[in-house]
Amino acid sequence: MSEHPRRWAALAVLSLTLVAVTLDNSVLNTALPSLAHGLHATTSDLQWITDAYTLVFASALILAGSLGARLGSRRALIGGLVVFGGGSAVAALADTPGQLIAWRAVMGLGAAFVMPATLAIITRIFSPAERPKAFAAWSAAAGIGVLIGPVTGGALLEHYSWSSAFWINVPLVAGALVAVVRLVPAVPVVRTGRLDILGALLSTAAVALLVDFVIQAPARGWTAPLGFAELGAAVVLAALFVAWQLRAASPLVRLDLFANRTFLLAALSLAVVFFVLFGTLFELSQYLQLVHGYSPLVAGLGAMPFAVAMATTSATSALLSKRLGVRWTLVLGLSLAVAGLLSLSTTGVGTEFWKVAFGTGVIGLGMGMMMAPASLQISGSVPPEYSSMAGALNSVIRELGGVLGIAVLGTVVSSAYRSDPALVLPGADLPAAHAAAATMPPADAQQVLSAADAAFTAAMDRGALVAAGIAALMAVAVAVIRPAAARTAPAEAQLVAQPA
């Protein structure tokens, strides 16, 4: 199916679903301090409230993409939105951190069906000539979600409780469902043989163990025996998955794609830029709210330059990649991310807001420039009937990059912070130091806060330098390694003209 008459209206609706999903996480990050107070949640609880969604989302993506292709991408999209919206409504009524963690996991399962379905439908209803513009608009929608999320969260928390961070999803999802039913066309169901149950189990378990290892490593230590056992199990399961996919008649994932250097470099570039984004914004949120003492609303405004820049360059990335080519567009985007990170690495306790905004804005320019070309390169490496699989791979790559960014850069910052000899409370992290200072006499409190803020800011600068180094290495790799021609994809998949 190509050049459907309602394709542009459908694209607007699909972008709305992406805004709803990306809005949730950015609103939640702003709401974490209020949520900790309202549910008496510990730091570990807050981590799991954030990570339960990511863990389920990342581990279920490949299976969700395969099921979505068989059920029909439109059906998968509708079902995913219902689960996501319903999970949001029940999460808003949670009384304990445990309940909220469970419903966040349900929301992650719903989102796992939404993301691949949107990319699959776009690939199927747009011709190859129009796909760059469509992917650019889709990528810009992610920037809009990041743009309005922190500000929306801050505005809600000025007047309502933490539960408003979840209630906001309900009308968004309801509107998206109505629009999907009315405007998004059905695309043919894909029949590629029997569902690879063994491959689905192996991939889900391997990704879940890997993500959990990365999430838990900063707290229990990267060399903890349990962590090593978990990582080892993930590696073994991943190896079994690869071996099975190479012999399966209807594999979940086309592993031969990774032999294509063009596909591989696009995938790694996307992973690196999400690594940088998630890791950096996670630390900046603490810096703005604790070191500078900004309210959630003002701290949310700190993401505005990033989001505006990202949305702007995402919308124009099709023109840029047409002029420069995908390869050099990726190099330029990564280079801008490096420049923004280097700017942030000079941040001090008293750094003015506009300087921080400048650094995040430059990162946003680079990321927006890259997302659409990299995503198009990944999805364009397969024939349309494999678009759900490509969409799932795209989302897995982004999610794993983001999880690794929070974990690795979080560990770098935490290690540097705790090793600072000037700390008055060496065993306490930054939130704990601020909480302890609130119970002290003014003179003692000021001493504790000054030392903790200075140590955290110096540690955050080190994390920005590490992120800049990783992004720079990726830029060099993309520039130096010559892309290879894409391999011809097999056409064994048979489309069934059955509406989804």
Side-chain angles (χ1 to χ4, degrees), residues 21 87 192 242 279 331 340 468:
V21 174
T192 57
V242 170
V331 172

Side-chain angles (χ1 to χ4, degrees), residues 405-472:
I406 292 175
V408 174
L409 295 183
T411 299
V412 170
V413 173
S414 177
S415 298
Y417 172 83
R418 293 178 183 277
S419 64
D420 194 305
L423 283 177
V424 179
L425 297 176
D429 58 17
L430 185 65
H434 275 255
T439 66
M440 296 178 179
D444 294 338
Q446 185 59 45
Q447 184 182 9
V448 168
L449 291 177
S450 296
D453 291 349
F456 179 81
T457 303
M460 186 180 71
D461 290 348
R462 183 177 299 182
L465 284 174
V466 170
I470 293 171

